[in-house]
Amino acid sequence: MDAIDKKLVGYLQLDAKKTTKELSLKLNLSVTAVYERIKKLEREGIISKYVALLDKKKIDKGFMVICHIKLVQHNVDSVTTFEKEVVKLDEVLECFHVSGDYDYIIKIYVKDMEAYREFMLTKLTTLQHIGSTHSVFMIGEVKNETNFKV
Amino acid sequence: MDAIDKKLVGYLQLDAKKTTKELSLKLNLSVTAVYERIKKLEREGIISKYVALLDKKKIDKGFMVICHIKLVQHNVDSVTTFEKEVVKLDEVLECFHVSGDYDYIIKIYVKDMEAYREFMLTKLTTLQHIGSTHSVFMIGEVKNETNFKV
DNA sequence: CTTGAAAGTCGGTCGAC
DNA sequence: GTCGACCGACTTTCAAG
């Protein structure tokens, strides 16, 4: 990864549909050179995938909740079964095992508070080994990006 | 958004590079029909952008910290200046204004603990109006997706 | 919605430097 | 590493049913 590669992934993180021609102009390279660099980055797994991002509000997922979860126990069985079950939940886009006062932080996207209540009662609290949950509601999204400064 | 559109955005959220031909086979539609549907979804802003995702570890951003922040005051000036400054920080990919015991939750990606210490001292704690911070460190990534079930 | 055809562009491979 | 040229595959638009 030289300086050109860093610029390149910078552009692709913002717009994956940029053509090699457009990129070649921005980077002052030939299209082939850009092409080879992109393929190298894909081969090495630095670029892992290309995805479409949706407008959360327009698909009724504008209500975000961050939920802190404690397990009752912390043995391997509790942890693995909890993790296996939580990844299945469509409303949960992120789940991190963390240090501190609780064990997991999960990020939930639903339509509104009513949908969240429904999610809590029918899905989250039915998970095994859960000790306690603490919900933090999003009031406003200040920043939410997928692109790293590299 | 009918059932076909939902399937379509489902595919595109997983792989933005899928050709209209591939999609037409999966959806049992003509290439033209798929093309028109995608353009409509883009026009309506349901599909907001196409991006490349990177492997965090391979670009030295494998160390994630979630930081809870309290401001000293909660007037408009404190809030807006804090928000303006925090969005400028490259290490901060997400920042949410939240309800509860603290005001903001921010997600920070850096290389390691040393880099986080550096970030804390030289960037985060120099922000104006910050009252207190509480860092939660990621031990493991159980789930981290960008695609909604729609 | 469909098919088919057209035009232009792009991705991907090549040989050469 | 770089480049220009090539060709097949793609996107995009159109007409007609």
Side-chain angles (χ1 to χ4, degrees):
Chain A
M1 284 265 273
D2 60 5
I4 298 174
D5 282 335
K6 289 181 182 181
K7 273 190 166 187
L8 185 51
V9 295
Y11 292 131
L12 292 174
Q13 281 185 102
L14 293 175
D15 181 8
K17 287 279 152 106
K18 276 215 153 49
T19 63
T20 47
K21 193 178 181 180
E22 289 176 297
L23 295 166
S24 71
L25 292 172
K26 291 209 180 211
L27 298 169
N28 284 97
L29 284 179
S30 69
V31 275
T32 319
V34 173
Y35 175 78
E36 292 297 344
R37 278 172 182 270
I38 292 173
K39 287 302 145 188
K40 185 177 131 275
L41 291 164
E42 291 171 355
R43 228 174 17 246
E44 290 171 348
I46 292 172
I47 295 175
S48 58
K49 56 189 330 199
Y50 299 95
V51 301
L53 299 182
L54 307 187
D55 185 317
K56 292 177 270 294
K57 284 190 185 159
K58 291 186 179 161
I59 53 166
D60 286 341
K61 302 288 181 185
F63 194 76
M64 194 204 77
V65 185
I66 290 168
C67 189
H68 298 158
I69 295 176
K70 277 188 214 177
L71 299 189
V72 281
Q73 297 170 100
H74 299 83
N75 51 50
V76 181
D77 184 51
S78 298
V79 168
T80 49
T81 40
F82 167 76
E83 293 188 357
K84 241 181 224 171
E85 289 185 347
V86 79
V87 296
K88 287 186 207 159
L89 303 176
D90 293 326
E91 294 88 348
V92 177
L93 286 246
E94 298 176 24
C95 175
F96 299 103
H97 188 188
V98 295
S99 68
D101 301 332
Y102 26 86
D103 300 308
Y104 292 92
I105 293 183
I106 68 174
K107 200 154 101 182
I108 299 132
Y109 283 97
V110 287
K111 187 187 177 189
D112 49 27
M113 185 63 91
E114 201 182 324
Y116 184 64
R117 181 181 142 83
E118 187 69 13
F119 168 78
M120 278 288 282
L121 296 178
T122 67
K123 298 194 177 175
L124 192 61
T125 54
T126 64
L127 291 189
Q128 290 172 14
H129 309 294
I130 280 198
S132 69
T133 66
H134 178 244
S135 301
V136 179
F137 300 101
M138 182 189 69
I139 297 172
E141 187 179 286
V142 180
K143 185 177 190 177
N144 192 5
E145 299 183 346
T146 56
N147 56 310
F148 297 93
K149 172 88 163 80
V150 50
Chain B
M1 283 264 272
D2 60 6
I4 298 174
D5 282 335
K6 289 180 183 182
K7 273 190 165 186
L8 184 51
V9 295
Y11 292 131
L12 291 174
Q13 281 185 102
L14 293 175
D15 182 8
K17 288 280 153 102
K18 276 214 152 49
T19 64
T20 48
K21 192 177 182 181
E22 289 176 297
L23 294 166
S24 71
L25 291 173
K26 291 209 179 212
L27 297 169
N28 284 97
L29 283 179
S30 68
V31 183
T32 318
V34 173
Y35 176 78
E36 293 297 344
R37 278 174 183 269
I38 293 174
K39 288 300 145 187
K40 184 177 132 274
L41 292 163
E42 291 172 355
R43 227 171 23 242
E44 290 170 349
I46 291 171
I47 295 176
S48 59
K49 55 187 336 195
Y50 298 95
V51 301
L53 299 182
L54 307 188
D55 184 317
K56 291 177 271 296
K57 283 191 186 158
K58 292 187 178 161
I59 54 166
D60 286 342
K61 301 288 181 186
F63 193 76
M64 194 204 76
V65 184
I66 291 168
C67 189
H68 299 156
I69 294 175
K70 277 188 213 175
L71 300 189
V72 281
Q73 298 171 98
H74 300 84
N75 52 49
V76 182
D77 183 52
S78 297
V79 168
T80 49
T81 39
F82 167 77
E83 293 187 358
K84 242 181 223 170
E85 289 185 346
V86 79
V87 296
K88 288 186 207 160
L89 302 177
D90 292 326
E91 295 87 348
V92 178
L93 285 246
E94 298 176 24
C95 174
F96 299 104
H97 189 188
V98 295
S99 69
D101 301 330
Y102 27 85
D103 300 307
Y104 291 93
I105 293 183
I106 68 174
K107 199 153 102 181
I108 300 132
Y109 283 96
V110 287
K111 186 185 177 191
D112 49 27
M113 185 63 93
E114 199 182 326
Y116 184 65
R117 180 181 142 83
E118 187 69 15
F119 168 78
M120 279 288 282
L121 297 178
T122 66
K123 298 194 176 176
L124 192 60
T125 54
T126 64
L127 291 190
Q128 290 171 16
H129 308 295
I130 280 198
S132 70
T133 66
H134 178 244
S135 302
V136 179
F137 300 101
M138 183 188 69
I139 298 172
E141 187 178 287
V142 180
K143 185 176 189 176
N144 192 5
E145 299 183 345
T146 56
N147 57 308
F148 297 94
K149 173 92 165 76
V150 51

